[in-house]
Structure formats: structure tokens, C-alpha cells
Amino acid sequence: MQRYKDEQKIKSEISNASSLIEFILLGFSDVPNLQWILFGIFLMVYLTILMCNSTIVLITRTDPALQTPMYFFLSNFSFVEICYVTVTIPRMLVDLCTQKGNISVLACATQMCFILMLGGTECLLLTAMAYDRYVAICNPLHYSLVMNHRICTLLVAACWISVIPVVIGQTYQIFSLPFCGSNRINHFICDIPPVLKLACGDTFVNEIAVYIVAMVFVMVPFMLIIFSYCKIILSILKLSSAKGRTKAFSTCSSHLIVVVLFYGTAGITYLQPKPNQSEITGKLLSLFYTILIPTLNPIIYTLRNKDIMAALRKLLSKILV
């Protein structure tokens, strides 16, 4: 009798899993009184991110003084930031406006795929930017030869292409799992940790796959960046001129701040064991790298960079005249 009940339970779970056609993103439903305030804040933030990053892309492509590898990588990084927030924030705004979080399984998988792809591309682009600074400071005589336009284009293409098959494979693996019971995702985006929590059965293989991919696209690039900056700092300290040391540090400081912010939150999110990460912590970390970092990046790169500030003033003078 007990065996019959167990079999019926398993059949029922399989039936529920196979019939699941949508998830419900709970988002910020635990604070219903703040829905419209959050909508206004996120809308303003989204428009600010689009405007600031689009401006960086525009001036780095049009200003002759910014036609260097460093700004070529920066313009690509800003473009990825625009794509990233467009994948996440508009969906959040719709859910806040309608106060519904219904999302089809296909749409959820698509969002996760693009979040992972763009996040991985950002990691690799930050590594390419660190390599650019390494060559510029540690090997300045060969800089124009090593970092020519062809090499820069190949590096950017590699950052995009290398991520795509891995991300598609991982997304397919996760959404091939049976989902039984609740279809409520306690999050505002379809990210890996909250989606895996809804899967029934053993997710050990999937969690190991997540750690491996995170090691390859988060930790390995981060270690390469750390190595690059160790070499950069040693080279800067050897400079006899205090003015030269200050100038060299100023070209790297903006990138280093972004690296610390981005890799810090990404590492905590994807390398922390699933049982140890609370849902509130996961939401806060996701808000940090989904909204706050893309907002801060243009500010960090513009306010700390004289060339970009000069290009901005030139652009504004053309517009206002």
C-alpha cells in the first residue's frame, strides 16, 4: 500500500513538472506599499544608465582623442552594460507596474541565458582591459604593436563568442530539470540560485556545473587581473618621477574600482554554496550588480578621467552652439 502511494506521488510530481508552463517572479511583493516608489526609482536609474553609457559609447567612437585601445574596450563594456540592464530592468518595471510576476518557462530561460552571457562577457572584457593597462605600463615601447586594432577586435570578439556555447549549455541543463511543487521564484529575475531551489530531485551535478563555469568565467579572469595589477604596481613603483607614478595610477584606478565591485558581488552570488545564501541576501546582491554597478560605472570612468571629461565638454559645446 505504501509503495503504491509513493508511486502515485512520484507520478503526480512528474505530471506537475511536465505541465509547468510558467513561473511567478515574486520580486518585491513583500513590500506592496513601496511598489510605485520602486517603479519610479528603477525607471530613473534605467534611463540614467542608458543615457550615461550611450554617451560614453558615442564620445569614444567619435572623438579623435579617444581612438585608443583603452577607450575601445570601454565603449564595448558600456554597450554590454546597456544590454545587461535592458534584459533585467524593463521586466522588473513591468512586474512592478502590473503587480504580476507571471513569466513563461521559455522567457525565464531566455532571460537567464542573456544574464549569464552578458555577465560572462563583462568578466572577460574587464580582463582584456586589465591586459591593455598591463601592456601600456609594463611594455610601453611595444604597446602600439601589441594592442593594434586587429588584436583589440579579436579580443572583444573572443569575449563574446567564448561565452555563448557554455551559457546555452548551462541554461539547457538547468531547465531540463523537473520542476515540481511551487512555481514561485522568490526573486525579481530568473537567476540560477533561485531557479535551482525550485527543482525537484538531485541538483548536485547542476551545482557543480555552476561552480565550474563560475571558476572559469569569474575566478580565472579575476586571478589574471590580479596578476596584471601586481606587475603594473611593481612597474609603477620603479618610475623615478612622482608625476609619472600618479599619472600611471590614475589610468588604472577607475578600472580597478569597477573590478572590485563587479567581481565581489559576482563571486559571492555564484561561488557561495546554495544552502548558505539567504533569499534576501541573493536579492540584495542581484540589485547591487544589476542596478547599482551599471549606474556607478559611467560615473567612475567619467569623473576620474580627464580625457573623457574633455570629450564631454567638447560634445556639449557642439550641442549647445
Side-chain angles (χ1 to χ4, degrees), residues 7-25:
E7 287 178 355
Q8 288 298 108
K9 185 179 178 182
I10 291 169
K11 286 179 181 178
S12 175
E13 287 182 349
I14 292 171
S15 176
N16 289 339
S18 60
S19 63
L20 181 67
I21 58 172
E22 69 174 14
F23 293 107
I24 298 173
L25 292 167

Side-chain angles (χ1 to χ4, degrees), residues 158-171:
C159 291
W160 280 94
I161 295 168
S162 61
V163 174
I164 293 172
V166 177
V167 165
I168 291 174
Q170 186 163 65
T171 305

Side-chain angles (χ1 to χ4, degrees), residues 10-276:
I10 291 169
K11 286 179 181 178
S12 175
E13 287 182 349
I14 292 171
S15 176
N16 289 339
S18 60
S19 63
L20 181 67
I21 58 172
E22 69 174 14
F23 293 107
I24 298 173
L25 292 167
L26 297 181
F28 303 96
S29 57
D30 51 339
V31 284
N33 296 331
L34 299 177
Q35 298 279 311
W36 287 107
I37 295 173
L38 291 172
F39 177 85
I41 292 171
F42 293 155
L43 179 60
M44 289 300 296
V45 167
Y46 180 55
L47 295 175
T48 301
I49 292 170
L50 290 183
M51 183 180 68
C52 292
N53 281 288
S54 297
T55 302
I56 289 177
V57 172
L58 177 64
I59 62 174
T60 51
R61 293 297 174 88
T62 57
D63 195 292
L66 302 181
Q67 302 305 304
T68 64
M70 181 172 75
Y71 297 113
F72 175 74
F73 289 123
L74 179 57
S75 68
N76 279 277
F77 187 77
S78 295
F79 175 72
V80 174
E81 291 279 49
I82 291 170
C83 295
Y84 189 89
V85 296
T86 302
V87 168
T88 54
I89 298 181
R91 174 77 216 188
M92 292 163 57
L93 293 174
V94 170
D95 290 344
L96 285 168
C97 186
T98 61
Q99 297 191 9
K100 296 178 182 178
N102 302 61
I103 182 169
S104 69
V105 172
L106 179 60
C108 188
T110 303
Q111 187 187 55
M112 180 186 288
C113 186
F114 276 101
I115 287 171
L116 296 177
M117 181 180 70
L118 295 166
T121 303
E122 284 187 333
C123 287
L124 297 179
L125 276 175
L126 286 170
T127 310
M129 292 165 80
Y131 177 67
D132 171 69
R133 292 299 83 207
Y134 164 75
V135 176
I137 293 171
C138 300
N139 198 6
L141 296 178
H142 296 92
Y143 180 68
S144 58
L145 180 65
V146 175
M147 299 303 293
N148 58 58
H149 185 70
R150 179 175 171 274
I151 296 295
C152 292
T153 304
L154 287 173
L155 281 172
V156 169
C159 291
W160 280 94
I161 295 168
S162 61
V163 174
I164 293 172
V166 177
V167 165
I168 291 174
Q170 186 163 65
T171 305
Y172 176 78
Q173 185 187 41
I174 290 170
F175 282 87
S176 295
L177 290 167
F179 293 95
C180 46
S182 175
N183 67 338
R184 295 173 177 270
I185 300 174
N186 193 5
H187 214 286
F188 51 84
I189 56 173
C190 288
D191 207 357
I192 291 177
V195 171
L196 272 182
K197 285 182 180 179
L198 299 184
C200 52
D202 188 9
T203 60
F204 178 74
V205 174
N206 300 86
E207 289 174 41
I208 293 298
V210 171
Y211 291 140
I212 292 171
V213 172
M215 289 295 293
V216 172
F217 289 103
V218 179
M219 289 309 297
V220 172
F222 183 67
M223 295 307 295
L224 290 172
I225 291 171
I226 293 297
F227 174 77
S228 298
Y229 273 102
C230 287
K231 299 286 284 183
I232 287 169
I233 290 168
L234 289 173
S235 295
I236 290 173
L237 292 175
K238 290 177 184 178
L239 296 174
S240 56
S241 166
K243 187 178 179 181
R245 286 196 296 270
T246 304
K247 185 178 179 181
F249 272 121
S250 68
T251 62
C252 302
S253 58
S254 300
H255 179 254
L256 198 54
I257 293 168
V258 172
V259 165
V260 171
L261 291 172
F262 183 83
Y263 278 97
T265 51
I268 293 170
T269 301
Y270 295 107
L271 292 173
Q272 188 180 15
K274 188 175 69 170
N276 295 345

